[in-house]
Amino acid sequence: MVDAGIEVANVLVTNGPWLIAIAAAFGFLMAWGIGANDVANAMGTSVGSNAITIKQAIIIAMIFEFSGAFLAGGEVTNTIRSGIIDTSYFTATPELLVYGMIGSLLAAGIWLVVASALGWPVSTTHSIVGAIIGFAAVGVGADSVSWDKVGGIVGSWIVTPAISGFMAFILFQSVQKLIFNTDDPLSNAKRFVPFYMAFAGFIMSLMTIMKGLSHVGLHFSITESYLLAAAIAAVVGITGKIAISRLQMSDKADRQTQFKNVEKVFAILMVLTACCMAFAHGSNDVANAIGPLAAVVAVVNSGGEIAAKSALVWWILPLGAVGIVMGLAIFGQRVMQTIGKNITHLTPSRGFAAELAAATTVVIASSTGLPISTTQTLVGAVLGVGMARGIAAINIGVVRNIVVSWVVTLPAGAGLSIIFFFIIKGVFN
């Protein structure tokens, strides 16, 4: 037993730099796939409703995906790294955990690149969770998988689209009631849209304050966090009101022209909700790429010791954030089409409701450490907006294809990771 322990330590010490370098490369590939697929989904509503251009979407993603990942990306990482599998099963053979996490990153990364090339909006969370379950169940034993936590995550794939869909439905119904179905839609848009903007500002700033600022050494109480977020929301709302007041539009135009002008007002709001969605996405989904990478670095650097929690090495979060942004910029246009154009016809007002509902759901899930699927959350929100207009407004064929691609993702991630796990194990052993 002692000899085996020494041998393990030797494997990790001798090959440590190589293992970390390979894990970093595959982690970057995974992050690139997240950008190409999941971030394209997140930006798809804004682009599809013609509120922003693809170029503007990439710039917004560069700033806010990076900020979300860097400031608020640490909370979910622990769930991905140590919640899905019971690491006590790897105590005697920590090198198997390292090989498995590296194989999982490669498996999920390849699957995301393939799906993005085909224009399928799949779940990055499904991909990496399936990959980790696959190598652990086959390579180590089914008991090493925390099936109760997996059950909770699977449950969230059903619950979160339902929550975001319901929220989007309510948001869009409120827009209809307060603005579109009134005698003076443009005046009411100028009156109420700043409040929607303030709500979006509140959600994003609260997430940053409560989860992100602790990473940079700033700590606030719950009360202080809410008060500060409320103050930021007020500033956002007032700034929005000023921006809207500068739009050259007449309240006396015919009703059809007023509706078009109202959509112009919502286009301003869509820029803010796109920022919210990018930030929320960065905070939640960066964990899919950096969680396994962080586990590899921690185990190798400790010489085989598997700690329940370990500090992130400084370069891991930026690596994931840069990979995400590059994936969107280089390869994201194909998947944007599906979410933004093909499920239901989106206008800025409809896109706003979908995006803000999805961002709010992701922020809530991220703050509780639950690794939900942003793709499913956003699809649920877009469906919610479509349902507000009636079932005929939804392209059922596209929705069916999306659901099929989701079902395929879990076994695809698991199967690939099992193959890569045994290949990597064979190479290093």
Side-chain angles (χ1 to χ4, degrees):
M1 191 70 185
V2 174
D3 290 342
I6 293 169
E7 190 179 318
V8 166
N10 287 339
V11 167
L12 294 178
V13 170
T14 307
N15 299 313
W18 279 107
L19 290 166
I20 289 175
I22 293 167
F26 294 165
F28 186 84
L29 173 69
M30 174 69 184
W32 196 87
I34 291 171
N37 203 291
D38 240 18
V39 183
N41 290 326
M43 294 287 105
T45 42
S46 300
V47 175
S49 64
N50 298 318
I52 59 176
T53 64
I54 289 177
K55 189 176 180 181
Q56 289 167 335
I58 291 167
I59 292 168
I60 287 171
M62 283 173 68
I63 297 167
F64 288 93
E65 284 278 343
F66 191 94
S67 301
F70 197 72
L71 289 174
E75 187 71 21
V76 183
T77 307
N78 287 321
T79 308
I80 285 288
R81 190 172 65 212
S82 59
I84 297 162
I85 51 177
D86 184 352
T87 51
S88 65
Y89 281 82
F90 297 86
T91 305
T93 53
E95 79 278 13
L96 295 185
L97 180 64
V98 171
Y99 303 155
M101 289 299 184
I102 293 173
S104 296
L105 285 170
L106 180 58
I110 286 175
W111 173 248
L112 288 175
V113 170
V114 169
S116 301
L118 295 169
W120 295 345
V122 298
S123 167
T124 56
T125 310
H126 277 208
S127 304
I128 195 67
V129 168
I132 291 173
I133 292 169
F135 96 80
V138 175
V140 181
D143 290 343
S144 65
V145 179
S146 301
W147 294 108
D148 55 334
K149 292 197 177 181
V150 172
I153 292 168
V154 171
S156 78
W157 298 336
I158 300 163
V159 172
T160 45
I163 293 171
S164 65
F166 178 72
M167 288 178 67
F169 181 86
I170 296 297
L171 270 170
F172 188 62
Q173 290 284 39
S174 74
V175 170
Q176 293 275 69
K177 192 175 179 64
L178 295 173
I179 297 171
F180 284 102
N181 296 342
T182 61
D183 295 330
D184 195 354
L186 186 56
S187 293
N188 285 322
K190 290 177 178 177
R191 182 181 305 138
F192 290 113
V193 166
F195 288 101
Y196 288 121
M197 295 180 93
F199 177 63
F202 178 78
I203 289 293
M204 192 165 76
S205 56
L206 184 65
M207 173 65 183
T208 310
I209 293 160
M210 292 182 75
K211 293 296 169 188
L213 296 184
S214 60
H215 292 299
V216 292
L218 293 174
H219 300 274
F220 295 96
S221 68
I222 298 292
T223 306
E224 288 169 341
S225 298
Y226 274 90
L227 287 173
L228 189 54
I232 293 169
V235 171
V236 169
I238 292 166
T239 305
K241 192 169 181 65
I242 293 167
I244 290 166
S245 68
R246 290 182 176 175
L247 291 174
Q248 300 298 313
M249 296 180 296
S250 171
D251 294 350
K252 303 294 183 280
D254 64 84
R255 197 166 180 79
Q256 200 60 38
T257 306
Q258 282 207 42
F259 282 152
K260 288 180 181 176
N261 288 337
V262 168
E263 293 296 353
K264 289 179 184 175
V265 174
F266 272 100
I268 292 177
L269 181 51
M270 278 292 285
V271 176
L272 184 65
T273 53
C275 298
C276 276
M277 192 64 217
F279 185 90
H281 180 270
S283 71
N284 191 275
D285 277 32
V286 71
N288 293 334
I290 68 165
L293 173 56
V296 170
V297 174
V299 174
V300 171
N301 285 346
S302 65
E305 184 186 341
I306 301 173
K309 271 197 176 188
S310 55
L312 281 177
V313 178
W314 68 269
W315 54 266
I316 293 180
L317 271 171
L319 179 86
V322 170
I324 282 175
V325 171
M326 285 184 65
L328 172 70
I330 296 168
F331 212 51
Q333 296 182 22
R334 296 184 186 189
V335 180
M336 281 188 198
Q337 178 78 15
T338 306
I339 287 284
K341 301 279 189 186
N342 296 353
I343 295 175
T344 188
H345 176 64
L346 289 177
T347 60
S349 60
R350 295 168 195 158
F352 143 76
E355 224 165 54
L356 185 56
T360 306
T361 307
V362 171
V363 163
I364 292 167
S366 187
S367 65
T368 57
L370 186 65
I372 64 161
S373 164
T374 311
T375 306
Q376 295 190 337
T377 307
L378 198 54
V379 168
V382 172
L383 285 173
V385 170
M387 289 297 289
R389 297 167 53 229
I391 193 74
I394 298 169
N395 188 331
I396 299 297
V398 172
V399 175
R400 184 183 63 244
N401 291 341
I402 290 171
V403 171
V404 169
S405 73
W406 289 351
V407 173
V408 172
T409 295
L410 200 66
L416 285 171
S417 81
I418 291 165
I419 294 167
F420 294 139
F421 169 73
F422 285 111
I423 290 173
I424 294 165
K425 183 181 174 185
V427 169
F428 284 100
N429 277 3

